[in-house]
Amino acid sequence: MKTGKMKNLVVLSGAGMSAESGIRTFRDMGGLWEEYDVTEVASLQAWEKDRDLVLRFYNERRKQLLLCKPNKGHYGLAELEKYFKVTIITQNVDDLHERAGSSEVFHLHGELKKARSTVDENLIYDIDGWELKKGDKCERGLQLRPHVVWFGEAVPTIEKASEICRTADIFVVIGTSLNVYPAAGLINYVPQNIPIFLIDPNEVNTPSRDVKFIKEKAGVGVEKLIDILKRVK
Ligand code: NAD
């Protein structure tokens, strides 16, 4: 199956990718993520207003993540590294792609298991266990915050991500409603002649591009994708 240089397969994944691992998406639940109104806990305003609430929200997400496992979809993408140079751009803050064995994972919206300084965004730390507490400080002596991109904040890695999309030979979108920008705009950087597969159990609006729609959940959808890709190789 492998001949010469491997093709670049670029994946853009969203919350639906991890749904079968037990992490709920929030769009599907009318703007709520678990019992929280996400816009009220995932913003700088929320952090300034009520740090305890924001820390608690992410601590709970982190606690839950430690109990979750990658699903068949995550493992399928890791398996594709046998045949392609796979780069995953994910909007998810969980680490399930990494735990499934994917080696190139690029987090657009940060990582739940990391904290960063509130004065220097380059000071990033692994969180040991599930808890980030008030009083946990960076080496410059200031409070640490979750290493996630909040609503209203810029996505610092978006340019690098758009470059990755430009290099795609095959592009795959999984489990994202393509509602959150700038991530949703990444599809526009994929060269025109490149096939785009979209895996989602629900219709997703992609006005700018034709896509090959695999109307399935991530687990079965990735299985079907692998079958298709094996046939075209
Ligand atoms: P979204 O909630 O807007 O959309 C989820 C998409 O996944 C929908 O199109 C839905 O039809 C689809 N979906 C539902 N179940 C699925 C399944 N089993 N398999 C495949 N697809 C399925 O998610 P989004 O577009 O990623 O945007 C939401 C934002 O929320 C992102 O910025 C993300 O960072 C954040 N978020 C992250 C996580 C996580 O890290 N796991 C979870 C929830 C939200």
Side-chain angles (χ1 to χ4, degrees):
M1 190 148 165
K2 240 189 283 179
T3 47
K5 191 172 168 285
M6 282 189 184
K7 285 186 174 170
N8 285 338
L9 188 144
V10 179
V11 178
L12 173 64
S13 70
M17 183 81 226
S18 300
E20 287 160 277
S21 295
I23 302 176
R24 281 191 275 178
T25 69
F26 65 81
R27 298 283 149 164
D28 293 339
M29 301 175 61
L32 290 183
W33 193 4
E34 306 300 335
E35 70 276 26
Y36 295 88
D37 178 338
V38 182
T39 53
E40 281 178 22
V41 284
S43 70
L44 199 55
Q45 289 91 314
W47 177 247
E48 272 153 16
K49 192 169 128 206
D50 191 347
R51 288 190 175 183
D52 287 320
L53 174 72
V54 175
L55 288 170
R56 194 166 67 237
F57 172 74
Y58 285 101
N59 283 342
E60 283 176 28
R61 303 280 74 73
R62 208 172 292 115
K63 215 189 265 183
Q64 178 197 33
L65 176 57
L66 294 176
L67 299 172
C68 290
K69 294 191 175 70
N71 63 55
K72 256 176 31 188
H74 295 107
Y75 285 115
L77 293 178
E79 190 192 321
L80 277 171
E81 293 192 11
K82 288 187 205 148
Y83 315 114
F84 299 96
K85 183 179 176 303
V86 181
T87 309
I88 297 175
I89 302 170
T90 187
Q91 296 169 80
N92 295 343
V93 294
D94 65 55
D95 62 344
L96 297 178
H97 284 300
E98 288 93 336
R99 277 200 258 155
S102 284
S103 53
E104 289 287 327
V105 185
F106 194 80
H107 286 270
L108 278 179
H109 295 162
E111 292 170 76
L112 191 51
K113 284 182 159 178
K114 293 184 179 170
R116 78 161 180 266
S117 165
T118 40
V119 279
D120 181 349
E121 62 186 23
N122 297 314
L123 296 177
I124 299 166
Y125 306 86
D126 288 331
I127 298 172
D128 190 17
W130 59 270
E131 200 176 14
L132 180 62
K133 295 193 283 290
K134 230 179 182 172
D136 286 345
K137 293 182 178 146
C138 72
E139 62 212 57
R140 291 178 54 187
L142 279 120
Q143 176 67 40
L144 288 171
R145 58 167 274 180
H147 180 46
V148 295
V149 176
W150 284 327
F151 287 101
E153 291 188 312
V155 177
T157 50
I158 195 72
E159 273 190 30
K160 178 82 181 38
S162 36
E163 266 160 41
I164 295 169
C165 294
R166 280 200 190 94
T167 68
D169 296 308
I170 300 166
F171 195 74
V172 184
V173 180
I174 309 178
T176 168
S177 58
L178 295 176
N179 275 325
V180 178
Y181 279 84
L186 285 173
I187 200 167
N188 299 321
Y189 292 91
V190 179
Q192 282 296 334
N193 55 331
I194 293 306
I196 300 182
F197 295 89
L198 192 147
I199 299 172
D200 202 296
N202 301 303
E203 298 287 336
V204 177
N205 205 6
T206 55
S208 62
R209 294 294 289 262
D210 282 339
V211 298
K212 298 175 198 307
F213 187 28
I214 302 175
K215 197 167 190 292
E216 297 285 358
K217 292 182 176 175
V220 171
V222 170
E223 212 165 60
K224 288 194 174 177
L225 174 76
I226 294 174
D227 280 348
I228 297 169
L229 294 177
K230 276 183 175 167
R231 268 186 268 128
V232 299
K233 281 283 292 182

